[in-house]
Every structure is written in structure tokens, then in C-alpha cells.
Amino acid sequence: MLFVSLAGSGASAQTVIVTKAPPTAPVEFVLNDAVVATGTTDEAGGATLTAGTTSAATRPDMDAQIYVDACDTLRRVLIVDRRMPVPAAAPGCARSQIAGLFLVRPISTLVLDVTGPVPTVLLRQGR
């Protein structure tokens, strides 16, 4: 079961919250073809990554596809505009696509459970 509180968020750029990843593992947030945030999961396997004010993160709303790469201990979340080519997975990484097309805005928060072969996403717009 996944419980996340997003109350009071005033994010000005996309935020990705990764849950159930390996503890103390590196994580990356890729927007189109640019790494916009990196971090390390806590002991529970959670991490919060915010795109900040990069040019990729401040672009207008986009219809996007979402992918998760599992590479040894690294977890990489890719949010790719449907009109853009999807970057190739790095050698040794297993890529999973989250089925669907998602409206991603500069104020979007995405919570991803990356356990198992099929990751899941909860998408929140605004506060």
C-alpha cells in the first residue's frame, strides 16, 4: 500500500517521488533527453527529485510517456514528450513503460512505485 502526502505543495517545476526502490540507491530524473535531477534513496527506498528551473523543466504542458529503467541499483525515471524520441536504455538496464499518455505540467508531481516488473504512477496537478 502506498501513502503519500502532497498537501501544501507549491512546486514550480516537476517533482518525481520514487518509492520502494533499493535502499541508499542512486536515482535519476530524466526529462526528454536531459538529466534534470539526481539523488539517493533513503533507507526505506524513497527519494524526492525536483527538476528545478532548467529549460527542459519550464517548458509548457506536454503529453508524455513515462519509463522506468532498473540498472543494477540505479533507478532512472524518464518523462518523454510523445513527439520526442525516447532515449535508448543504457546497457544492462531493464526498461519498463508505464502504459498511457500523461499530461505533465510544470506543476506536476509524480509518485512512482518502482517495485516489481511493472512500475505504477500517481500523477498530481497543482496543490
Side-chain angles (χ1 to χ4, degrees):
M1 191 170 274
L2 174 66
F3 294 97
V4 177
S5 172
L6 300 175
S9 68
S12 61
Q14 292 91 358
T15 300
V16 168
I17 300 170
V18 175
T19 64
K20 301 182 183 174
T24 65
V27 289
E28 292 181 346
F29 173 14
V30 177
L31 196 54
N32 292 320
D33 60 354
V35 176
V36 294
T38 60
T40 303
T41 60
D42 59 23
E43 291 298 325
T48 300
L49 305 172
T50 302
T53 57
T54 65
S55 60
T58 56
R59 58 175 292 152
D61 301 353
M62 67 176 159
D63 293 325
Q65 298 171 317
I66 301 173
Y67 303 86
V68 175
D69 287 352
C71 317
D72 232 356
T73 59
L74 171 73
R75 294 301 179 267
R76 180 178 298 119
V77 175
L78 298 97
I79 299 174
V80 182
D81 187 307
R82 69 181 174 106
R83 297 169 296 182
M84 301 283 292
V86 179
C93 295
R95 175 164 291 166
S96 299
Q97 180 177 2
I98 298 175
L101 193 59
F102 301 88
L103 175 61
V104 178
R105 297 178 166 168
I107 60 168
S108 296
T109 298
L110 299 95
V111 180
L112 291 107
D113 177 342
V114 297
T115 56
V118 181
T120 59
V121 66
L122 168 67
L123 174 62
R124 170 98 181 196
Q125 306 291 359
R127 293 181 183 238

